[in-house]
Amino acid sequence: MLDLIKNVFVNNGLITAFVVVGLTMWFAYFISDKLTKGRIHGSAIAIVIGLVLAYFGGVATGGSKGIADVSVLAGMGFLGGSMLRDFAIVATSFGANFDEIKKAGFRGVISLFIGVVLSFIVGVIFAFVFGYRDAVSITTIGAGTVTYIVGPVTGAALNASSEVIAISIAAGLVKAVLVMIGTPFVAKFIGLNNPTSAMVYGGLMGTTSGVTGGLAATDPKLVPYGAVTATFYTGLGCLLCPTLLFLITDTFL
């Protein structure tokens, strides 16, 4: 009987992944509502739960794909892959009003460059403090601080070690969680209450998951606007970090 149930889960991996993610989200939002009164968004709690599960999945199986290395949950590898991730980002961005997007104008564009460069500099400083001295490693970790997507893209382009790429991803995840948790607390103080400020904020912070989760806890109507510039931020980081910012880093080291 148990083998039959296991085979059903394994043979329908993607459906099983959707069910597990759905239950995880329900549990995370339950905790958010009952224990934090919504102050910590459910998405942030869900990310932490996902990281813990990925860690224990990797430890238990000795694999490299986290929880997806467990045969019953192999569908997580596809559900969490780049195709569905990008689909979700594009779908979110389509909820934005183009007239409001145009209002961001020059401020929105400038926020993208400032956000990428500042995040990169913070990452470079941390990389240097923790003993990394070569331009490839420092650039990869700096790119991970931009976002956990830009980090591995940069690392692959520069042929960084798997250890450094893993650190860059961890840096980006920490940033995403901090932005997600911190946004509702700072929103009132920085005037984060309209589409224009949401787009500038998305351009400065850049982490799509962090910005969307934080804005959802602040005002759900602002989510599409923050997601638009955060999405462009990711693309800009993937262009600048492995090329221009690497050359600058390499020149000054």
Side-chain angles (χ1 to χ4, degrees), residues 102-185:
K102 289 190 293 185
K103 293 179 182 178
F106 184 71
R107 289 170 294 182
V109 174
I110 289 298
S111 70
L112 291 173
F113 286 92
I114 293 175
V116 169
V117 173
L118 284 181
S119 293
F120 183 83
I121 291 173
V122 170
V124 167
I125 292 172
F126 274 99
F128 200 83
V129 168
F130 282 98
Y132 290 94
R133 295 293 183 268
D134 62 292
V136 171
S137 297
I138 290 176
T139 301
T140 301
I141 296 173
T145 312
V146 173
T147 76
Y148 57 80
I149 297 173
V150 176
V153 169
T154 301
L158 300 178
N159 198 28
S161 67
S162 58
E163 173 190 290
V164 170
I165 292 176
I167 293 173
S168 76
I169 295 173
L173 287 171
V174 170
K175 175 186 175 182
V177 172
L178 289 176
V179 171
M180 197 176 295
I181 294 174
T183 299
F185 294 99

Side-chain angles (χ1 to χ4, degrees), residues 48-68:
V48 173
I49 294 174
L51 291 173
V52 172
L53 291 176
Y55 171 77
F56 284 108
V59 170
T61 62
S64 59
K65 298 180 181 178
I67 200 69

Side-chain angles (χ1 to χ4, degrees), residues 86 93 100 117 151 176 246:
D86 294 342
S93 299
E100 294 290 351
V117 173
F246 168 69

